[in-house]
Amino acid sequence: MNGKRTVFFSSLAISLVLISIGVFAPKQMESFSNNSLEFIYNNLGWFILGSVFFFFAFCMYIGLSKFGQIRLGEDHDRPEYKTATWVGMLFSASIGISLVFWGVAEPVSYYIDPPFGKGSSEESAKLAMQFVYLHWGVSAWACYAVVGVSLAFFQFRKKLPASLSSVFYPLMGDKIRGPFGKLIDVMVILSIVIGIATSLGFGTLQVNSGMNYLWGIPVSFYSQIAIILVVSLIYVGSTVSGLHGAMKNLSNLNMILAFALLAFILFLGPTQSILKIFFQGIGDYAQNFIGMSFRTEPYSEGSWIASWTLFYFGWWIAWAPLVGSFVARISKGRTIKEFMIGAIFIPVIGAFFWFAVMGGSAIDLIQNMGETAIATAVSTDVTSALFKFFEFFPMSVFLSILAMVLVLVFFITSANSAVFVLGMISENGNPNPSHSTKVIWGVVIAAVSAVLIMTGGLSGLQSALVATSIPLAVLMLVMCYSTYKGLKDELKTMRVSKSHQEHIVDIRKNVTTKKA
């Protein structure tokens, strides 16, 4: 396993095997995926919850402690991107497409069927926003930040390859270049492929639903395949323009479209209620953060936690290698403290406001205006909820088209970052992977997405994603220890260097004094 292309060919072969199984034995694949998901929920839910909380605690510790002063690069390096552009790239390359998909559907789902208490009530409305903020809050971004800060430190500060195996250097030394290191990279590549394919699947389902709503195009597997093909051609073509070109421009376009949609709903919707929901939700979330983070429901069936909280936390873990690798790539020159504040808290505020505007408005329409059609849409077909919601605003057709464009652009941005990261890891940490490698991974992602939709639809996408979270959580916990060890050694090196420089300055001062 020492060849330069071992990681690429091994991960590509496994991906093709999974695609083949999905095509030729779809029922068996769906059954295995669902059984794996049920086993994880019943036996390892506590591990997922505990791991995610630990990641957040670890990020806060290294960000606010003496480690926060360490720069992700040389001491003279400064950030490559302006903070506004950096935040936009963080946001659009990670959860943007998911926000559009779940912005209305998730809060309304919790309002109808809360984790506890009576549904469709004032109490369930408060719980809806509280748990939405849990699922999309600091816990999610901490998973990304753990991988991002670890890889950025070892890549830019310690000059190691841009592969996840590099973060284990303090524990393994040069063995990261051997079979074990390549095994880590293969596992990471597979998780990225499944994660981004799932994202494409969610986006495809919603776009198909929107096209059916607007133009009567049937919701079918063939329609979804056509959407996947078109989107794949766009993102595979755009990825060859390079990171500075396509990614930067698409990220900026994402933010403009997202802000335009938000502003429209905010000012034409129940503005005062939205702002109250936003602040109330943050207060309830902060007050109950610890309890919600460890809520396992041991004295009941726990189906709600399994279906939502464990799904989301597993999702963030599964996405961490992809988003973390991309975040690391664009964060050179920032201090760890700056990185943690920017990568965890700033995007969270944006996500909270999105849900307050979209989901808060929907709940207000149901509870105060009696518009139960939105709730019915969420219960029957979650992909149609957003378009049903737009019916209660002027220019609903325009809003629906804007939302579909936003989904597509968000996905193209995510896919761009995904194939770029896959290329880097496949080529042993090459910061500028070849176009051929990126194109191959772009085609594989499209194929995996089509297979996942074919074998299970929405539930199949969820099952495949969460199933990858357990081995990745273990890997990330070890990563935390390795990073801590590396940062501790770096502080010692910095102190020795500083002491040496001060000693040289003292010698020069003494020489100057004697000459005088």
Side-chain angles (χ1 to χ4, degrees), residues 299-314:
Y299 308 112
S300 62
E301 183 182 354
S303 58
W304 196 95
I305 295 296
S307 299
W308 290 106
T309 303
L310 292 181
F311 161 63
Y312 271 117
F313 281 16

Side-chain angles (χ1 to χ4, degrees), residues 172-319:
M172 299 172 57
D174 289 334
K175 290 181 180 179
I176 62 169
R177 297 178 176 89
F180 188 73
K182 287 178 168 51
L183 178 63
I184 291 173
D185 288 337
V186 169
M187 187 169 73
V188 167
I189 286 177
L190 293 175
S191 73
I192 291 174
V193 168
I194 294 176
I196 195 66
T198 303
S199 180
L200 174 55
F202 279 125
T204 298
L205 293 174
Q206 186 160 50
V207 170
N208 192 187
S209 179
M211 294 170 71
N212 174 262
Y213 171 79
L214 292 172
W215 304 302
I217 295 175
V219 176
S220 68
F221 177 69
Y222 296 106
S223 298
Q224 291 154 9
I225 289 297
I227 294 169
I228 289 174
L229 286 175
V230 172
V231 173
S232 300
L233 287 173
I234 295 173
Y235 76 72
V236 169
S238 64
T239 193
V240 300
S241 69
L243 190 64
H244 288 274
M247 281 303 302
K248 183 177 179 180
N249 294 331
L250 284 172
S251 296
N252 290 335
L253 177 60
N254 275 344
M255 302 313 293
I256 293 172
L257 293 176
F259 280 127
L261 183 59
L262 270 187
F264 194 95
I265 302 299
L266 175 64
F267 292 113
L268 292 183
T271 306
Q272 290 299 318
S273 294
I274 289 171
L275 296 176
K276 290 178 182 178
I277 288 168
F278 176 62
F279 284 99
Q280 174 80 41
I282 291 177
D284 291 339
Y285 167 66
Q287 183 179 1
N288 298 282
F289 174 69
I290 302 294
M292 291 190 297
S293 296
F294 289 101
R295 189 165 184 265
T296 58
E297 295 186 346
Y299 308 112
S300 62
E301 183 182 354
S303 58
W304 196 95
I305 295 296
S307 299
W308 290 106
T309 303
L310 292 181
F311 161 63
Y312 271 117
F313 281 16
W315 189 348
W316 306 137
I317 292 172
W319 263 72

Side-chain angles (χ1 to χ4, degrees), residues 50-69 137-151 289 320 324 327 335-345 348 476-477 479-481 483-484 487:
S51 297
V52 170
F53 186 84
F54 178 82
F55 298 148
F56 172 69
F58 177 78
C59 288
M60 292 300 95
Y61 172 66
I62 65 171
L64 301 177
S65 68
K66 55 191 176 183
F67 299 125
Q69 65 181 299
V138 296
S139 301
W141 289 93
C143 294
Y144 301 158
V146 161
V147 177
V149 76
S150 300
L151 186 56
F289 174 69
V327 169
T335 64
I336 290 179
K337 181 178 181 179
E338 184 183 5
F339 177 92
M340 288 304 173
I341 293 173
I344 293 182
F345 292 103
V348 163
M476 289 167 63
L477 289 171
M479 185 187 300
C480 289
Y481 175 68
T483 302
Y484 170 77
L487 292 173

Side-chain angles (χ1 to χ4, degrees), residues 438-500:
K438 292 186 289 186
V439 169
I440 289 172
W441 282 122
V443 174
V444 169
I445 288 169
V448 172
S449 180
V451 166
L452 290 175
I453 290 177
M454 179 177 69
T455 57
L458 193 61
S459 62
L461 296 170
Q462 294 175 337
S463 301
L465 199 60
V466 177
T468 65
S469 64
I470 297 299
L472 281 175
V474 175
L475 197 69
M476 289 167 63
L477 289 171
V478 179
M479 185 187 300
C480 289
Y481 175 68
S482 182
T483 302
Y484 170 77
K485 197 171 185 298
L487 292 173
K488 194 174 180 181
D489 291 341
E490 183 65 18
L491 277 184
K492 290 180 182 178
T493 303
M494 292 170 65
R495 290 194 193 102
V496 171
S497 177
K498 184 178 180 181
S499 177
H500 181 65

